[in-house]
Amino acid sequence: MSENNAEVITLRDLLEKLQLMFLFLLKNWWKIGAVAFCGAMIGYLAFTLQKPRFDAACTFVLEERQSGVGGLGGLASQFGIDIGSITGGGGNGMFTGDNIFEILNSQIILKEVLLSKISTKTDSVSLADRYLEISKLKAAWAGIPKLDSIEFGTKKEIGELSVVEDSVLNIIYASIVKNNLAVERVSKKGTLIKTTVSSIDPEFSRHLVQRVVHGSHDYYINMKTFITKSNITRLQKKADSLLSLLTNRTYGAAQLQLNDPNPALRALMVPAELASRDKAVVATLYGEVVKNLEIARTTQMMQTPILQILDAPPLSLNDNKRGKLYWMAICVFISVALSSAYLILFKFNR
């Protein structure tokens, strides 16, 4: 196309076209108003059909306590004690603070929580059964063998589940992680972690978020201090064994003591001296083991992270579904935009 035939649109032409479109829409205001009224009715209908949403949020702070271990290790090394061998080398690299997010969403935590009863009553249903009801999954499985009559109220552990029950529990787990459970940091660089469960049942939301947080807290701390706990148990058994041996050596040495030894028969004093020597050796070993045991316990206290709940969900949750004005405004905006676009395109095409 040559430059002479090319159509050049200036800014003035564009403004004139926009002015004509605006005037055209003003002339057809009653058509746009009728569509907007229909949009408002659709928004009101969407509000009435909207399901309730109860959000149960639990905020807690997670603070690692590993800085004091290095100072304790330096102090212990001055006395010839390798604190790394006592505490297992402080192998905390695989248990960093961010792993708490994975634990909160893990199957091992959520499945155990889902199998727990809603209340302490013996006839109470489990959280998994309640979720099957509120998510309409049980109603959708009506008439399907082995699925319409499935119940988790009598199950206490994951190992008691059958193949079908475990598959259903996996479906519930995947649905909750995708649609109901949210885990996030309150701030990017902070240690405040917020866990939220949303559902149409306030009791389900409150129980699930509380038990997930408490279960994750126990599991996380056990993983962080597992090596130290194992060493403390081993040192405690060794200390108890040495204490029992020291007691026996003390009684044995006392029995071999001579009240009035004959200086001419010094050989009679040898058993008593040997018993005293064995007693001293055992006492020294016992003292070292007890010292290492106390260092391991102190290290465990320093390595145990602090998880403190700041905000727990209240007993009465508010319905957080969208308001009537929100739905009406959204639908009116969409209807006005679509009707205006349709009128303009229809005029230009004609």
Side-chain angles (χ1 to χ4, degrees), residues 57-242:
C58 185
T59 305
F60 59 91
V61 59
L62 178 65
E63 183 177 355
E64 302 290 342
R65 300 181 61 189
Q66 299 178 5
S67 58
V69 179
L72 181 62
L75 180 62
S77 63
Q78 297 179 6
F79 298 94
I81 302 172
D82 184 10
I83 198 171
S85 62
I86 301 172
T87 62
N92 295 315
M94 62 182 299
F95 303 125
T96 56
D98 289 341
N99 282 349
I100 189 66
F101 293 96
E102 302 299 328
I103 295 176
L104 286 165
N105 290 290
S106 63
Q107 289 192 32
I108 189 172
I109 300 297
L110 272 175
K111 285 185 176 181
E112 290 181 357
V113 171
L114 289 171
L115 291 179
S116 63
K117 300 294 185 66
I118 292 180
S119 64
T120 56
K121 298 179 180 179
T122 56
D123 58 346
S124 175
V125 298
S126 64
L127 289 174
D129 294 324
R130 178 63 64 87
Y131 187 80
L132 288 176
E133 294 178 3
I134 65 178
S135 62
K136 307 300 182 183
L137 287 175
K138 197 165 188 178
W141 293 339
I144 301 178
K146 296 183 180 181
L147 291 180
D148 54 354
S149 60
I150 192 168
E151 291 183 357
F152 295 94
T154 58
K155 307 298 181 180
K156 297 181 180 180
E157 297 180 358
I158 299 178
E160 300 178 2
L161 300 177
S162 63
V163 176
V164 176
E165 291 171 340
D166 185 67
S167 300
V168 172
L169 199 61
N170 286 331
I171 294 175
I172 297 174
Y173 162 76
S175 178
I176 288 177
V177 171
K178 181 180 179 181
N179 304 316
N180 304 93
L181 181 63
V183 182
E184 60 182 353
R185 286 189 186 272
V186 177
S187 59
K188 293 183 178 180
K189 296 183 179 181
T191 56
L192 292 178
I193 299 174
K194 183 178 181 180
T195 305
T196 307
V197 174
S198 302
S199 72
I200 63 174
D201 187 353
E203 191 176 16
F204 175 84
S205 298
R206 181 167 54 85
H207 285 300
L208 184 65
V209 72
Q210 286 179 336
R211 295 177 187 180
V212 165
V213 170
H214 284 95
S216 302
H217 163 247
D218 297 338
Y219 185 82
Y220 183 72
I221 289 182
N222 288 336
M223 293 294 289
K224 290 282 290 184
T225 59
F226 174 76
I227 298 177
T228 308
K229 283 182 178 179
S230 301
N231 285 294
I232 288 177
T233 302
R234 186 167 60 250
L235 287 171
Q236 186 64 57
K237 290 181 179 179
K238 195 170 185 179
D240 294 340
S241 177
L242 287 173

Side-chain angles (χ1 to χ4, degrees), residues 260-271:
D260 189 14
N262 190 348
L265 301 175
R266 294 186 178 272
L268 297 177
M269 301 174 61
V270 173

